[in-house]
Structures are given as C-alpha cells and as structure tokens.
Amino acid sequence: QVQLVESGGGLVQAGGSLRLSCAASGRSFSDYTMGWFRQATGKEREFVAEISWNAYITSYAGSVKGRFTISRDNAKNTVYLQMNSLKPEDTAVYYCAARARLTAVYNSWGQGTQVTVSS
C-alpha cells in the first residue's frame, strides 16, 4: 500500500478556488490510479475525480466536471485537485485515495482535508 497525506483545504467564498494536494509515500507512485473523494456531513462518501497512472485518462463526477481538474506529478509523488467556481454544496472533507493498476478497489486512503465554501 501507499501512504497518503492531503493538504490545501480551507475556507473560501463561493466562486473562489482552492488547490488540494496529496503527497504519497511508500510503494511506487506510478503503480497507482489516484482518486479524490469527498464526504459532506450526514452524507455518504462520493467519487469526485480520478486519474490514471500515466495521466492519460481522467474522469469526473458530473457535479464537478468543468470546474475541477485532477492532475499528477509522478516525479513528486503528488496528485492535485484544482477546484474552481466553488459552490457551497462543494463543502466536504476531501480524501485522496489510491488503487493499484488493473484493480477496481481503492484500498489506500488519506486522512482527509476540510473544504468549506461560504455563500
């Protein structure tokens, strides 16, 4: 497994931007598809975005498509989530996760970082 640490969360006004980072350590970072998930208070955790090991393939939840961008730097063992045009409904704890190539289950998770969007 890989160890993950998120950073970059905070309080921002609606319409603003934040960039989340997730630093990985342990096994080879390029062996993993990386994803971002979020969980709002009282709700289930939901998928936000993911990126393939070589960054060729990305996918997004419909609610964030066109506003969020996932990227990675394998030389820095880091994945990013650029969040623009933030809305109050984006308020949640955001988690970074990793799944090994050719597997379907995310089995490494970070501790989460809080994002709060005020109206």
Side-chain angles (χ1 to χ4, degrees):
Q1 290 189 340
V2 63
Q3 290 74 49
L4 304 171
V5 178
E6 303 96 335
S7 61
L11 173 65
V12 64
Q13 287 189 332
S17 298
L18 280 176
R19 188 175 82 153
L20 305 183
S21 299
C22 173
S25 61
R27 295 187 60 182
S28 177
F29 183 65
S30 60
D31 285 343
Y32 294 89
T33 292
M34 299 299 297
W36 286 96
F37 293 75
R38 67 187 182 185
Q39 187 168 18
T41 302
K43 296 187 177 181
E44 293 189 353
R45 186 161 52 191
E46 64 175 0
F47 168 80
V48 174
E50 72 175 11
I51 186 167
S52 63
W53 69 274
N54 56 7
Y56 285 3
I57 301 171
T58 58
S59 63
Y60 297 90
S63 59
V64 307
K65 201 167 187 178
R67 300 188 297 122
F68 291 10
T69 302
I70 190 170
S71 61
R72 67 190 295 163
D73 185 339
N74 285 350
K76 295 183 178 180
N77 289 355
T78 302
V79 62
Y80 305 97
L81 186 68
Q82 177 67 44
M83 306 185 294
N84 298 330
S85 302
L86 283 161
K87 304 175 181 180
E89 51 264 43
D90 294 318
T91 295
V93 177
Y94 283 71
Y95 297 91
C96 174
R99 60 179 174 89
R101 286 195 241 170
L102 305 181
T103 67
V105 177
Y106 281 93
N107 59 4
S108 295
W109 294 85
Q111 82 289 350
T113 186
Q114 176 70 47
V115 171
T116 303
V117 184
S118 63
S119 57

